[in-house]
């Protein structure tokens, strides 16, 4: 009897070249490492979801006693919800290169929300700076990792 936690032993009675089968199985189980740039972008956008939610609540609360010429207060909650949905969608689309441009557009939109609440100029600039740093540093780390992997593969 074999231990259920131990790996199965190869079957030598199959009549196939087990060396070729083993190399194919090894290649399938090795996944490419996830991009650092993508991981950092996911983190920044995830934190922005929380901040945009809280900012929408603040702007909604401050607008409840506004004058007659301003939009209804629910519009601010709806706008915050749309930005949150855009952030969530962007996180899911980061496997495509064009999604990073969408991330930049969302950063500009968040900075522009400072027109509704001046504190958002600061918050938007803070997250925009983090986004910029993550894009630059993440791309640099990914290039260095790719070069190291190519050099390692070359040595093999």
């Amino acid at each position: 009897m074999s231990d259920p936690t131990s790996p199965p032993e190869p079957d030598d009675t199959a009549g196939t070249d087990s060396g070729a089968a083993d190399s194919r199985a090894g290649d399938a189980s090795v996944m490419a490492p996830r991009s650092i740039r993508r991981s950092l972008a996911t983190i920044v956008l995830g934190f922005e979801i929380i901040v945009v939610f809280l900012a929408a609540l603040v702007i909604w609360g401050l607008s409840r006693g506004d004058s007659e010429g301003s939009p209804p207060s629910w519009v601010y909650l709806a706008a915050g919800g749309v930005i949150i949905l855009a952030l969530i969608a962007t996180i899911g689309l980061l496997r495509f290169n064009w999604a990073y441009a969408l991330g930049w557009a969302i950063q500009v939109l968040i900075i522009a929300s400072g027109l509704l609440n001046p504190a958002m100029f600061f918050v938007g600039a803070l997250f925009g700076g983090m986004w910029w740093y993550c894009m630059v540093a993440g791309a640099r780390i990914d290039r260095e990792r790719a070069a190291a992997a190519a050099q390692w593969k070359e040595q093999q």
Side-chain angles (χ1 to χ4, degrees):
M1 293 212 163
S2 66
D3 181 21
T5 59
S6 66
E9 295 182 19
D11 184 12
D12 291 336
T13 61
T16 62
D17 182 20
S18 63
D22 289 343
S23 69
R24 282 190 305 258
D27 290 342
S29 66
V30 175
M31 292 179 53
R34 186 170 181 179
S35 166
I36 296 296
R37 180 178 172 213
R38 182 176 174 185
S39 296
L40 293 174
T42 301
I43 292 167
V44 170
L45 293 176
F47 279 116
E48 276 186 307
I49 290 170
I50 298 166
V51 170
V52 167
F53 172 72
L54 295 172
L57 287 177
V58 166
I59 294 170
W60 171 72
L62 292 175
S63 69
R64 294 188 56 108
D66 263 357
S67 64
E68 206 169 296
S70 64
S73 59
W74 63 266
V75 171
Y76 302 114
L77 284 178
V82 168
I83 294 173
I84 289 171
L85 289 176
L87 288 164
I88 293 169
T90 303
I91 289 172
L93 294 171
L94 285 174
R95 64 182 171 265
F96 304 110
N97 282 334
W98 56 265
Y100 295 98
L102 182 59
W104 279 110
I106 292 173
Q107 301 308 314
V108 170
L109 186 61
I110 291 172
I111 292 171
S113 70
L115 297 172
L116 300 174
N117 185 348
M120 288 304 292
F121 284 126
F122 175 74
V123 172
L126 185 69
F127 274 103
M130 286 192 312
W131 180 260
W132 171 80
Y133 179 77
C134 290
M135 294 300 100
V136 171
R140 180 183 46 82
I141 293 169
D142 286 341
R143 281 191 308 271
E144 290 171 358
R145 283 175 58 182
Q151 183 181 12
W152 180 80
K153 197 171 196 176
E154 189 177 282
Q155 292 175 353
Q156 294 296 328

